[in-house]
mmCIF file of all heavy atoms in Angstrom:
data_model
loop_
_atom_site.group_PDB
_atom_site.id
_atom_site.type_symbol
_atom_site.label_atom_id
_atom_site.label_comp_id
_atom_site.label_asym_id
_atom_site.label_seq_id
_atom_site.Cartn_x
_atom_site.Cartn_y
_atom_site.Cartn_z
ATOM 1 N N LEU A 45 83.860 -89.277 -127.298
ATOM 2 C CA LEU A 45 82.985 -90.102 -126.475
ATOM 3 C C LEU A 45 82.616 -89.311 -125.235
ATOM 4 O O LEU A 45 83.385 -88.456 -124.785
ATOM 5 C CB LEU A 45 83.666 -91.402 -126.035
ATOM 6 C CG LEU A 45 83.869 -92.521 -127.045
ATOM 7 C CD1 LEU A 45 84.723 -93.620 -126.409
ATOM 8 C CD2 LEU A 45 82.533 -93.090 -127.503
ATOM 9 N N ARG A 46 81.460 -89.624 -124.678
ATOM 10 C CA ARG A 46 81.097 -89.077 -123.384
ATOM 11 C C ARG A 46 80.815 -90.216 -122.420
ATOM 12 O O ARG A 46 79.914 -91.027 -122.643
ATOM 13 C CB ARG A 46 79.882 -88.157 -123.446
ATOM 14 C CG ARG A 46 79.641 -87.446 -122.101
ATOM 15 C CD ARG A 46 78.640 -86.329 -122.177
ATOM 16 N NE ARG A 46 77.271 -86.791 -122.059
ATOM 17 C CZ ARG A 46 76.281 -86.071 -121.536
ATOM 18 N NH1 ARG A 46 76.518 -84.844 -121.079
ATOM 19 N NH2 ARG A 46 75.057 -86.561 -121.498
ATOM 20 N N LEU A 47 81.585 -90.266 -121.350
ATOM 21 C CA LEU A 47 81.393 -91.250 -120.303
ATOM 22 C C LEU A 47 80.489 -90.687 -119.220
ATOM 23 O O LEU A 47 80.535 -89.496 -118.909
ATOM 24 C CB LEU A 47 82.728 -91.652 -119.675
ATOM 25 C CG LEU A 47 83.823 -92.135 -120.623
ATOM 26 C CD1 LEU A 47 85.048 -92.560 -119.815
ATOM 27 C CD2 LEU A 47 83.328 -93.263 -121.504
ATOM 28 N N SER A 48 79.680 -91.553 -118.633
ATOM 29 C CA SER A 48 78.822 -91.190 -117.523
ATOM 30 C C SER A 48 79.080 -92.135 -116.356
ATOM 31 O O SER A 48 79.408 -93.302 -116.554
ATOM 32 C CB SER A 48 77.346 -91.271 -117.915
ATOM 33 O OG SER A 48 77.032 -90.387 -118.966
ATOM 34 N N CYS A 49 78.920 -91.623 -115.161
ATOM 35 C CA CYS A 49 79.021 -92.426 -113.949
ATOM 36 C C CYS A 49 77.870 -92.044 -113.046
ATOM 37 O O CYS A 49 77.806 -90.901 -112.568
ATOM 38 C CB CYS A 49 80.359 -92.202 -113.252
ATOM 39 S SG CYS A 49 80.496 -92.966 -111.621
ATOM 40 N N ALA A 50 76.970 -92.983 -112.827
ATOM 41 C CA ALA A 50 75.810 -92.772 -111.970
ATOM 42 C C ALA A 50 76.074 -93.387 -110.606
ATOM 43 O O ALA A 50 76.426 -94.566 -110.509
ATOM 44 C CB ALA A 50 74.567 -93.379 -112.602
ATOM 45 N N ALA A 51 75.896 -92.599 -109.566
ATOM 46 C CA ALA A 51 76.175 -93.027 -108.203
ATOM 47 C C ALA A 51 74.890 -93.235 -107.425
ATOM 48 O O ALA A 51 73.901 -92.521 -107.612
ATOM 49 C CB ALA A 51 77.044 -91.999 -107.484
ATOM 50 N N SER A 52 74.926 -94.205 -106.533
ATOM 51 C CA SER A 52 73.839 -94.427 -105.594
ATOM 52 C C SER A 52 74.428 -94.884 -104.267
ATOM 53 O O SER A 52 75.544 -95.390 -104.209
ATOM 54 C CB SER A 52 72.837 -95.453 -106.129
ATOM 55 O OG SER A 52 73.460 -96.707 -106.354
ATOM 56 N N GLY A 53 73.679 -94.691 -103.202
ATOM 57 C CA GLY A 53 74.122 -95.112 -101.887
ATOM 58 C C GLY A 53 75.014 -94.119 -101.164
ATOM 59 O O GLY A 53 75.500 -94.431 -100.072
ATOM 60 N N ILE A 54 75.251 -92.957 -101.750
ATOM 61 C CA ILE A 54 76.016 -91.893 -101.115
ATOM 62 C C ILE A 54 75.274 -90.578 -101.278
ATOM 63 O O ILE A 54 74.426 -90.450 -102.174
ATOM 64 C CB ILE A 54 77.445 -91.748 -101.684
ATOM 65 C CG1 ILE A 54 77.403 -91.425 -103.181
ATOM 66 C CG2 ILE A 54 78.274 -92.987 -101.401
ATOM 67 C CD1 ILE A 54 78.753 -91.052 -103.771
ATOM 68 N N ILE A 55 75.600 -89.627 -100.416
ATOM 69 C CA ILE A 55 75.123 -88.266 -100.626
ATOM 70 C C ILE A 55 76.071 -87.650 -101.639
ATOM 71 O O ILE A 55 77.139 -87.149 -101.304
ATOM 72 C CB ILE A 55 75.083 -87.470 -99.318
ATOM 73 C CG1 ILE A 55 74.231 -88.186 -98.276
ATOM 74 C CG2 ILE A 55 74.538 -86.066 -99.571
ATOM 75 C CD1 ILE A 55 74.243 -87.530 -96.911
ATOM 76 N N PHE A 56 75.671 -87.709 -102.882
ATOM 77 C CA PHE A 56 76.565 -87.444 -104.005
ATOM 78 C C PHE A 56 77.221 -86.069 -103.914
ATOM 79 O O PHE A 56 78.424 -85.929 -104.192
ATOM 80 C CB PHE A 56 75.776 -87.591 -105.312
ATOM 81 C CG PHE A 56 76.571 -87.361 -106.553
ATOM 82 C CD1 PHE A 56 77.352 -88.366 -107.091
ATOM 83 C CD2 PHE A 56 76.534 -86.130 -107.196
ATOM 84 C CE1 PHE A 56 78.081 -88.160 -108.245
ATOM 85 C CE2 PHE A 56 77.260 -85.911 -108.354
ATOM 86 C CZ PHE A 56 78.038 -86.932 -108.877
ATOM 87 N N SER A 57 76.461 -85.057 -103.565
ATOM 88 C CA SER A 57 76.977 -83.693 -103.562
ATOM 89 C C SER A 57 78.076 -83.464 -102.535
ATOM 90 O O SER A 57 78.791 -82.463 -102.614
ATOM 91 C CB SER A 57 75.847 -82.689 -103.340
ATOM 92 O OG SER A 57 75.250 -82.874 -102.063
#
Side-chain angles (χ1 to χ4, degrees):
L45 286 173
R46 188 168 84 150
L47 306 183
S48 299
C49 172
S52 60
I54 60 171
I55 304 175
F56 181 82
S57 63

